[in-house]
Amino acid sequence: MENLKRLIRTIPDYPKPGIMFRDVTTLLRDADGFEQAIIALARPFETERVDAVAGIEARGFILGGAVADRLGCGFVPIRKKGKLPWKTIGQEYTLEYGVDAIEIHEDAIRTGERILIVDDLIATGGTAEAAAKLVRRSGGEVVGAAFVIDLPELGGLGKLEEHGVRCHALVAFEGH
Ligand code: AMP
């Protein structure tokens, strides 16, 4: 995991002062790093029934698509408001830097389906919590949530677990 951590680029003060942006594009660019990240993200869920991976726009699409392929299941996009072409269910959430809303197609998940949420990073947990709400409001069951990066100081992982979501993160970084 130290190797994965080294492949993640840190950009200070992006997108605003005080934020240390953890950039996974450098990890994705590295064939071995990308492969190891996908294997590790999928591993705890390989022995479970997973009907689909729900990836959160945009970096969650790249990681979530590859995890879905590895688990042999389908992929459901969770997108920023106004981006999906069909009828949607929406959920507002507070981001580390702003307020936003995410949406899912209303027919993307069938009742009782077991869904794994994937994103690149969990900070305050607001985005992932909104994603879990969307899955549950769609009739799905959240199998878990997998992230490459956790920012433990922001407490998102604990908050998500309090909401009954089993969480899995590969590396942790100090700070915001
Ligand atoms: P949160 O809702 O606070 O858990 O924020 C998580 C979402 O915001 C993820 O989709 C991340 O990609 C993005 N994000 C938040 N903070 C950072 C950060 N420091 N570096 C990179 N991405 C971040």
Side-chain angles (χ1 to χ4, degrees):
M1 290 308 134
E2 278 308 306
N3 185 40
L4 291 188
K5 205 168 171 179
R6 268 196 301 276
L7 288 168
I8 297 163
R9 171 165 55 195
T10 296
I11 306 168
D13 299 319
Y14 182 87
K16 65 179 196 185
I19 303 289
M20 296 287 272
F21 192 85
R22 307 299 178 177
D23 174 21
V24 294
T25 64
T26 41
L27 166 64
L28 299 172
R29 179 64 183 84
D30 186 278
D32 286 341
F34 189 15
E35 185 184 26
Q36 289 314 310
I38 298 308
I39 289 171
L41 282 171
R43 186 167 293 134
F45 306 99
E46 272 169 352
T47 52
E48 309 231 3
R49 192 190 106 212
V50 178
D51 295 307
V53 168
I56 304 172
E57 184 175 0
R59 294 176 292 273
F61 288 180
I62 302 158
L63 296 162
V67 170
D69 181 60
R70 191 162 178 89
L71 293 177
C73 68
F75 178 81
V76 173
I78 294 182
R79 297 207 65 179
K80 303 278 163 57
K81 192 178 169 68
K83 299 275 191 179
L84 286 167
W86 182 240
K87 294 174 192 165
T88 58
I89 305 171
Q91 184 72 46
E92 282 201 342
Y93 66 102
T94 315
L95 197 68
E96 191 185 358
Y97 35 85
V99 175
D100 221 332
I102 50 174
E103 295 179 333
I104 193 169
H105 274 148
E106 64 170 21
D107 59 357
I109 296 170
R110 285 180 289 273
T111 305
E113 283 190 316
R114 290 166 52 82
I115 309 298
L116 172 64
I117 294 167
V118 172
D119 201 359
D120 65 330
L121 178 147
I122 181 159
T124 66
T127 315
E129 197 186 321
K133 283 182 183 161
L134 283 180
V135 168
R136 287 171 175 162
R137 285 172 58 205
S138 303
E141 184 190 326
V142 181
V143 181
F147 308 90
V148 174
I149 304 160
D150 177 29
L151 304 184
E153 282 172 44
L154 292 167
L157 220 67
K159 207 172 98 186
L160 204 57
E161 281 182 337
E162 276 169 27
H163 283 85
V165 178
R166 187 177 134 209
C167 294
H168 171 54
L170 306 186
V171 304
F173 281 98
E174 285 177 12
H176 289 213

